Amino acid sequence: MQRLLKGGTLVDHQGQYHEDLLIEQGRIVRREPHIAITPEMAVIDATGYQVMPGGIDVHTHFNIDVGIGRSCDDFFSGTRAAACGGTTTIVDHMGFGPAGCNLHHQLGRYHTYAEGQAAIDYSFHGVVQHVDDAILDEMASMVEQEGISSFKLYLTYQYKLDDAAVLQALQRLRQVGALTTVHPENDAAIRWRRDAFVQQGNTAPMYHALSRPVACEAEAIARMINLASLADSAPLYIVHLSNALGLDYIRLAQHNGQLVWAETCPQYLLLDEQRYQDPDGMKYILSPPLRGQEEQAALWQGMAEGSIATLATDHCNFSLHQRHMLSGGDFSRCPNGLPGVENRLALLYSHGVSTGRISPEQFVALTSTRPAQLFGLWPQKGNLMPGADADLVLFDPQRRVTLRHDEMHDNGDYSPYEGMVCQGWPIMTLSRGEVVWREGVFTGRAGHGRFLRRKPFNAEWVKTLF
Ligand code: URP
Ligand code: ZN
Ligand code: ZN
């Protein structure tokens, strides 16, 4: 069967086009100003809508086991929620495995989590939780045989790496064609501050933010940028950027020609640290924490000028019930992370495109094209050219919707964005040509999503894009 999207405005990262778009066998096969309807075509009337590449969320944590508990979204509910928000691909950050496990251990585990469950296409980032000769040797096969061409290092949490390990990992990952992503926070500074607060009995949610201020994150970003430079100019991707000083360090590195990219998330653009004063402040425990409004303004500026390359969610859903049960009201015992995979596109569209902060083309670049290019999915994903997968989202720029968790599709019990009004709404999502979300109804299925073997990171090619 052929599917024709007729009368819409196609939007990619470079422009807007009044063209029809024809889909066959899950791929885009033609796009022209006027494609004549034939009997074998199922026609979708896209008049008044913007037709964009489906969203690619390169930072989720589905089914993650953080030791004290497991997040409430698995690969079905997480990808269902993603599809209902216009996202057609996710790249999940694998959680830590048992101490000493190798890279393939977690990969095997994650394949079993996702296979037959995912409603949209998916991949994983590798996780480096220790470094030795065996791990360094294993990296090449992860990239070449398994299609895992990015890895995350942590500078805090249980399996944080020290500088020696970071240098070795950065250098080896560069050699094997992988992009290093990093959670940058200074672990010693956080521990020092957190322990003092806890000893004083200051365990309310606000102390979470006070225990890991901007300097903790910015210091670690600067350190990582310098370590990447020392490790034979290894490419570096900073996840969940939340502050202006860190962004300044990133800008300086980019200005100096270093291969450094940054991702931010809707929560850092739209929610601020006052939320920790709410009676349910535990809803907002995540790391880095929510910041002040001046940091939000800097992040919007970074996106508008292009120094921030991507918008992801870091969706890591612990219900309010889980948070209360596990923390007993103590921020230091609360699992970290926020839900949001369903709301990323609507929030950025509403607060970015509808307000004029960014253009529709920048919206596509941040949510789909740059993620595809940085993470080895281009040109199969993130664009509207013939040959690409027919992963699409149709946006109605006129639609106003108030966000209500009751109408969302994750397994949690709250949304941090409850009550926010969105101007512009994803009314339909297609994954490889199949309609998976239409007018408020999830029409996809578990097992439709396929594992994506990603291409190696090609620094010379990526350099030409930015
Ligand atoms: O608090 C957060 N962000 N939790 C998810 C894990 C991570 O650090 O990305
Ligand atoms: Zn992180
Ligand atoms: Zn994360």
Side-chain angles (χ1 to χ4, degrees), residues 151-187:
F151 291 78
K152 188 170 180 189
L153 320 181
Y154 288 82
L155 302 188
T156 187
Y157 297 154
Q158 186 183 5
Y159 291 110
K160 60 189 171 295
L161 300 184
D162 64 18
D163 290 355
V166 167
L167 283 163
Q168 287 178 290
L170 280 163
Q171 185 190 49
R172 184 72 181 139
L173 289 171
R174 185 192 71 78
Q175 288 166 351
V176 301
L179 178 58
T180 299
T181 79
V182 65
H183 175 124
E185 283 189 295
N186 183 309
D187 186 69

Side-chain angles (χ1 to χ4, degrees), residues 356-410:
R357 282 170 161 146
I358 58 169
S359 66
E361 291 87 345
Q362 285 176 303
F363 171 87
V364 172
L366 285 156
T367 58
S368 185
T369 305
R370 296 306 186 212
Q373 291 170 335
L374 286 167
F375 291 99
L377 295 168
W378 179 269
Q380 181 188 355
K381 304 290 190 190
N383 84 86
L384 299 177
M385 297 307 293
D389 283 354
D391 284 1
L392 304 167
V393 57
L394 273 65
F395 250 85
D396 180 352
Q398 305 305 332
R399 188 80 59 101
R400 260 175 103 75
V401 174
T402 303
L403 295 179
R404 300 277 175 227
H405 185 259
D406 282 356
E407 290 162 16
M408 295 180 195
H409 299 82
D410 59 82

